[in-house]
Amino acid sequence: MAQYQYNRPAAYLHDPAQGPLVVPMHTLSLPSHWEEPLLRLYHGGMSEGQAQRWRRVPSAAINQLMRATAPDIVTVDSTARFGSENPWLYCQDAYPTAVTNLYVATWLKSLQRDPDDPEDAALLMDCFRDLDTAALGWRPGTVDLLEQKLSPGGTAVPAPHVYRLLPDILAKRIARQAPYEHHGQQLSFRQVAGRPGARGQGTGGAELMSNVIEYVPRRRGGDDGKPAYYAAVLRITVRTVPFSPVLRVHVAAGVRRFVTGKVYMPYGKGVSAYLLPDDSLVHDGPRPQRYAVATLEWKNGTRDWRQGGAEGMLARISALDALPSPDRLVKEADHWIHGRDGIRVAIGHQAAMGRHTIGTGLMPSERRRLIEWAEQGIAPEFVPVPRLERSAYARPPKKQLKKLPSVPRNKEEKDPAELAVILEERELNAAHNAQFLRARLAEALEGEDFTAVVLHQNDATRDQLISAAESGLGLAGYRRAQGPDTWVWEAEELTVRLHARPLGALGAPLGGDDVPRQGQEHDKVIEERRTGVARAMAALREDAPGVRLAFVELDGQDAFRHAKRRTDPKHAIRLGCADAGLVTQFIRPPDPDADPDEALADAGLRAAAAWSDGLRQTGVRLVPQHTLGGTLIPSELNQVAFHLVERRLDGPTGKQQFTPIAVLIRPGAKCVLGKSADMNEWVAYPELLKSLTGRVEGRKNSAEQSALTAAFVKKTLAQLRSAPTLVLVHAQDIRKRRPWLRNDGLERDRLGLDGGPVQRIGLYGKQLRIVRIADGSRDETAQCWAEGEERHPELEGKQSGGIAMGLWRPQVQGDSDRVFYSTIGKSGTQPNLTNDDAKLTPHTNPSGKNAYRPTANAWNPDLLELTVACIQPGDDAEAWAAFVHQQRFSEDYRAGREGLALPLILHLARLADDYALPHEIEEALDPIASPRLPAVTGDASLGQLVFDFDLTDMEVDG
């Protein structure tokens, strides 16, 4: 029997016995007569075409300004319509009229195109006169926080304001509670100013943040290290579940880390500053009760507050005087963290800034304690949803590989005979697994040799990859050639060849010592490196025919952070390899500062993972074998996943891309297949990956993207109509271009592809099924923990949370029987973590040992929502959900035992994003053409990029 039989989601339902939830609020709407004068001002100086393109008056900037200086105002809709009954601003207490008018005047001035132009100045004065801003006022009233309707599919559709206002009211109630306390330490929470403009499903919400926690690490010598700062965070969101007529409130817990010392400023993206001033930042404004959020940004060589500066909005409302100087703040971010000059400021840490002393996330027991404290603040109106129960189809997929017995740590103390039995069984099972994997790889290669190249920076990584090849495929007894730069193994099933070459200048930073500027200069250095890599790989193919995969030892993102972000050659290398017909797998060098033994062990683990990941890019398949039988799940079932491959202008190559793709696991096919919207036939998975590189497509609007996606899906389904087919789609990915896949668009066993009425699934074939999968991004699915005991008062503060793998059934009365939840097991990457480890307050585990570990990265499984949207008559929805759940456990992955984040086929589809590298080049290399190409002209430092590999005389680049 499993240790945990229940999983508890942090989701809450309104208790009908408590009656309606109507609260008094002050609102401010945009008068209908404002629209024409504001548009006239905004369009001043624009061409007719520009005015047609920008037909709405932008309010995002003023909403952001209020978030930074008036956090107690709740903005609901950044696109609020003039004269609409839906208000623009909400506030529980009327905000001073004079301050409101100041914000409006500041907004109007920001709409001017050229303040020094007399015509623009005249337009502004006319606009002030026509609007009569002095007449603008807050209107008292009441708001129904449970207002909703039902979709045609029976799903709750909350009114737009509910997504922002209900979480805001509940957060306020939580903040009014007595502080959270555990082991003698208290945390007090305040609300955080809401994000401007959030509305509708998947957005909105409220946030609370605790007082700042200071942690001082101890160095190896016993001295104190540099203090690190962080805080607990609670997020409150309104969400819905497909086919359920009642909305949910999700409560999520986490941590926010703050910068100590110098702040890294990502270009044009901004860094959040959390402000708590002693008094209002605006004259005559009320003292804020919430944390305000302002944005620091670095642009054109200067650091400033967004909307700041001499002519910015912050200056116009006289708020700059109360804020620290941006130049000084980014140099010593923690100087104001405990309060100075009448204000407390904490700069949020971003992953792109590098490592932080404090680890991410909370482990299950502490998450449970904090959320159960918070839920007291939303009771009695909201009660927890019933616990999730295990599905009847609880078995894992069939094992295809044999388990390797663990070697005892104290093997010297083990009985020699028993140890010999363990080692023998381990050797036999490893040999079986290796033979099985060799057979699968041979199938994918259709009789060809497997040939790869290792482009390394040091011998240690090369040797680890060679070792990973031998151990992963059991090749040790089949070695026929060994170095100095070529290794060959000839097994009965297939021949494996590895060619090792120094990476050399191919891995040098783009631009050399100078960081290339964004735009044409960046494009040029990418093109030079891409061409150089393509020519080098083409030269290699003449001496090593059939090479299809390149393992590249390259420094990770940390080496190219901050100002060096455009020097990262990874994407140019991948482009060049694809031009030459190779897929790529990258691996980081060993950490030079780590303990040598630890570094070697880590390198071995990463090499094994890189080897496995590289093999999968060749299309090799180890599909989980379900245990549900041919009656519940048809035999010879196709699995197809649709995915939108996208890049924005801020991507690694500075270009856009939108390419719908499909990935197919077809019974009898020897490898995974794929196709894109411009392909007529299925191709091998590596061919799909390589086809995604280098595309530069004309910009498509959302309607064009939706039409392209719909046409591609319909064509693909028509091709598969004659065979049993299961379609898997990731909700947060494809529904943005297929509204039918939104919660309020879903209808049981009905499909909508072309924007028209939904149609019966039978019209698309009698053998088609569709399962939609949603994950926890944006708190769409609730956080959870496994429960091992009932809640009793005597266990207060001692109840624990756990991690449980399984398929789970919801128990909400009146809900559909089409929605299930899937969780995976404890992460094997962090074996030393325990469910009781704590980060926010001191804690002692049940064994009496200290479990306070602020520096550990916590991990919890995502609650994956499986909606069996379309099935055929007589199908068992739970069995189909169980099939999809079992597809998360692919044994050829190192994490296969614990499970993948998504089912295998969706996982493979999402990995295609790595190859979305839009970059135009006049003459891309033809991988079939002769590899002996003329040398690249230009920068002498790139001369090394074009060379002929000499297999007999190769020096390692030190």
Side-chain angles (χ1 to χ4, degrees), residues 146-266:
L146 299 175
E147 182 183 347
Q148 69 168 54
K149 59 183 180 180
L150 289 182
S151 75
T155 301
V157 184
H161 66 266
V162 173
Y163 285 98
R164 169 54 60 82
L165 295 181
L166 177 55
D168 191 81
I169 294 297
L170 297 181
K172 188 170 185 177
R173 294 183 181 182
I174 293 171
R176 286 175 175 171
Q177 293 189 114
Y180 168 79
E181 183 173 355
H182 185 70
H183 270 247
Q185 184 168 323
Q186 293 185 343
L187 292 178
S188 298
F189 283 80
R190 286 178 180 265
Q191 286 180 262
V192 178
R195 295 183 181 275
R199 67 186 295 268
Q201 186 174 355
T203 57
E207 186 176 275
L208 301 106
M209 191 169 75
S210 75
N211 52 283
V212 174
I213 306 168
E214 179 178 313
Y215 172 73
V216 181
R218 301 287 290 180
R219 293 173 175 165
R220 291 184 178 179
D223 298 332
D224 289 344
K226 191 175 184 179
Y229 300 98
Y230 62 109
V233 172
L234 288 166
R235 298 185 304 276
I236 321 296
T237 51
V238 168
R239 295 292 179 257
T240 61
V241 170
F243 313 133
S244 172
V246 291
L247 61 81
R248 268 78 164 163
V249 169
H250 290 175
V251 180
V255 296
R256 172 166 290 126
R257 302 172 297 172
F258 301 115
V259 178
T260 302
K262 189 175 181 179
V263 181
Y264 158 58
M265 301 289 292

Side-chain angles (χ1 to χ4, degrees), residues 12 122 146 204 250 271 295 375-376 439 453 470 472 592 622 691 730 743 745 761 885 901 911:
Y12 303 84
L146 299 175
H250 290 175
V271 173
T295 302
E375 72 184 28
Q376 297 173 47
V453 59
E470 281 200 336
L622 193 58
S691 76
H730 186 203
N743 286 6
I761 188 66
H885 168 71
L911 288 178

Side-chain angles (χ1 to χ4, degrees), residues 813-864:
Q813 188 173 3
D815 273 11
S816 162
D817 60 355
R818 292 292 189 89
V819 178
F820 303 87
Y821 294 94
S822 168
T823 55
I824 58 177
K826 185 176 179 180
S827 172
T829 61
Q830 295 173 306
N832 296 324
L833 281 176
T834 72
N835 294 338
D836 277 312
D837 286 341
K839 186 170 293 178
L840 305 177
T841 64
H843 181 70
T844 303
N845 65 25
S847 302
K849 296 181 179 179
N850 177 28
Y852 183 56
R853 298 182 63 191
T855 61
N857 287 321
W859 184 89
N860 291 266
D862 216 2
L863 193 62
L864 214 61

Side-chain angles (χ1 to χ4, degrees), residues 187-412:
L187 292 178
S188 298
F189 283 80
R190 286 178 180 265
Q191 286 180 262
V192 178
R195 295 183 181 275
R199 67 186 295 268
Q201 186 174 355
T203 57
E207 186 176 275
L208 301 106
M209 191 169 75
S210 75
N211 52 283
V212 174
I213 306 168
E214 179 178 313
Y215 172 73
V216 181
R218 301 287 290 180
R219 293 173 175 165
R220 291 184 178 179
D223 298 332
D224 289 344
K226 191 175 184 179
Y229 300 98
Y230 62 109
V233 172
L234 288 166
R235 298 185 304 276
I236 321 296
T237 51
V238 168
R239 295 292 179 257
T240 61
V241 170
F243 313 133
S244 172
V246 291
L247 61 81
R248 268 78 164 163
V249 169
H250 290 175
V251 180
V255 296
R256 172 166 290 126
R257 302 172 297 172
F258 301 115
V259 178
T260 302
K262 189 175 181 179
V263 181
Y264 158 58
M265 301 289 292
Y267 183 83
K269 291 189 177 180
V271 173
S272 294
Y274 296 85
L275 316 174
L276 192 61
D278 293 343
D279 205 350
S280 174
L281 294 177
V282 186
H283 182 64
D284 287 339
R287 179 179 180 180
Q289 300 302 308
R290 310 182 185 197
Y291 288 105
V293 185
T295 302
L296 282 167
E297 63 180 358
W298 174 53
K299 201 170 184 179
N300 300 325
T302 62
R303 304 177 183 91
D304 210 339
W305 296 102
R306 189 168 287 172
Q307 288 97 40
E311 297 298 329
M313 288 185 171
L314 286 170
R316 288 174 182 148
I317 62 172
S318 303
L320 278 179
D321 294 340
L323 295 174
S325 159
D327 284 332
R328 187 176 177 192
L329 185 57
V330 300
K331 292 178 182 177
E332 40 187 358
D334 51 335
H335 194 66
W336 284 265
I337 208 161
H338 292 304
R340 187 181 181 90
D341 303 326
I343 191 170
R344 280 176 272 177
V345 183
I347 307 295
H349 175 82
Q350 300 178 2
M353 297 177 181
R355 186 182 178 277
H356 197 283
T357 302
I358 304 301
T360 57
L362 300 175
M363 289 301 286
S365 293
E366 188 167 45
R367 168 188 277 184
R368 177 180 182 177
R369 286 194 297 271
L370 182 56
I371 290 179
E372 288 184 343
W373 168 83
E375 72 184 28
Q376 297 173 47
I378 65 176
E381 287 87 354
F382 285 86
V383 296
V385 300
R387 296 178 301 182
L388 304 174
E389 294 185 352
R390 281 193 179 275
S391 166
Y393 301 110
R395 293 181 60 190
K398 297 175 183 176
K399 294 292 184 184
Q400 301 177 76
L401 302 180
K402 293 185 177 182
K403 184 178 180 180
L404 302 183
S406 300
V407 177
R409 291 185 178 180
N410 56 341
K411 58 183 179 181
E412 296 82 4

Side-chain angles (χ1 to χ4, degrees), residues 62-136:
I62 186 65
N63 288 338
Q64 291 170 355
L65 178 69
M66 287 187 286
R67 189 185 190 213
T69 58
D72 298 310
I73 293 179
V74 183
T75 64
V76 172
D77 187 359
S78 64
T79 59
R81 296 182 180 275
F82 295 91
S84 169
E85 295 181 358
N86 296 326
W88 172 34
L89 306 177
Y90 289 81
C91 197
Q92 290 204 284
D93 299 311
Y95 214 72
T97 301
V99 181
T100 305
N101 288 336
L102 175 62
Y103 280 118
V104 172
T106 302
W107 180 30
L108 298 185
K109 291 178 181 178
S110 74
L111 298 178
Q112 286 182 285
R113 293 179 64 82
D114 184 0
D116 297 327
D117 187 333
E119 291 186 11
D120 274 10
L123 281 173
L124 178 63
M125 295 308 297
D126 290 344
C127 187
F128 272 118
R129 184 186 63 251
D130 294 342
L131 297 187
D132 186 21
T133 57
L136 191 67

Side-chain angles (χ1 to χ4, degrees), residues 381-461:
E381 287 87 354
F382 285 86
V383 296
V385 300
R387 296 178 301 182
L388 304 174
E389 294 185 352
R390 281 193 179 275
S391 166
Y393 301 110
R395 293 181 60 190
K398 297 175 183 176
K399 294 292 184 184
Q400 301 177 76
L401 302 180
K402 293 185 177 182
K403 184 178 180 180
L404 302 183
S406 300
V407 177
R409 291 185 178 180
N410 56 341
K411 58 183 179 181
E412 296 82 4
E413 303 174 10
K414 193 77 176 176
D415 179 76
E418 294 181 8
L419 180 60
V421 170
I422 293 174
L423 295 177
E424 182 180 6
E425 182 182 358
R426 185 178 178 88
E427 184 176 347
L428 290 173
N429 289 357
H432 168 272
N433 294 345
Q435 185 178 23
F436 186 87
L437 292 173
R438 290 198 304 270
R440 290 293 178 270
L441 179 57
E443 285 181 3
L445 299 175
E446 299 188 88
E448 294 185 9
D449 295 350
F450 177 70
T451 306
V453 59
V454 178
L455 302 176
H456 59 92
Q457 295 188 42
N458 60 73
D459 291 354
T461 299

